[in-house]
Amino acid sequence: MSRKGSLLALRDREPAPKSEAPGKAAINPAAADSTTTTGSATAPSRQGKKAMTGYFSPEMSFAMHMTARKNGMSLQDAMGEAFNDWLRKMGESPVGK
């Protein structure tokens, strides 16, 4: 069973025919700016790190953002501190940010 709009439905699809508009130069993806295709435009603060996400209530989000700001921290720093506290509580060693 295939859902409309599913990425799996695109897997076996034939590629669209290539056509060039008159008077327009063809765009060569290989010649495009390599920072947009290779991921080297990653911010230095994100290099070597992995994203972790979660979905929380609007109240939790607001409280975390406001408390982090009141304490001169970024939300990421506050979350890192909370995660390390939780690791300690569970008997594990904190691992930093």
Side-chain angles (χ1 to χ4, degrees):
M1 179 168 108
S2 177
R3 286 188 341 210
K4 184 176 181 181
S6 168
L7 291 176
L8 291 174
L10 296 174
R11 180 181 58 191
D12 299 322
R13 224 168 84 176
E14 291 294 320
K18 295 184 181 191
S19 63
E20 292 183 27
K24 299 276 183 177
I27 297 173
N28 181 356
D33 182 10
S34 63
T35 60
T36 59
T37 58
T38 63
S40 62
T42 302
S45 62
R46 292 183 179 183
Q47 290 178 352
K49 296 188 178 173
K50 186 166 177 68
M52 295 182 358
T53 61
Y55 290 89
F56 301 95
S57 69
E59 296 82 11
M60 173 64 83
S61 176
F62 182 78
M64 290 296 295
H65 279 89
M66 292 305 295
T67 304
R69 287 184 191 135
K70 275 194 242 179
N71 289 283
M73 301 171 75
S74 68
L75 182 60
Q76 182 169 331
D77 288 337
M79 290 170 66
E81 187 174 316
F83 291 163
N84 278 326
D85 288 346
W86 184 76
L87 287 170
R88 282 186 200 98
K89 179 182 173 183
M90 296 294 123
E92 301 293 331
S93 297
V95 294
K97 294 189 241 174

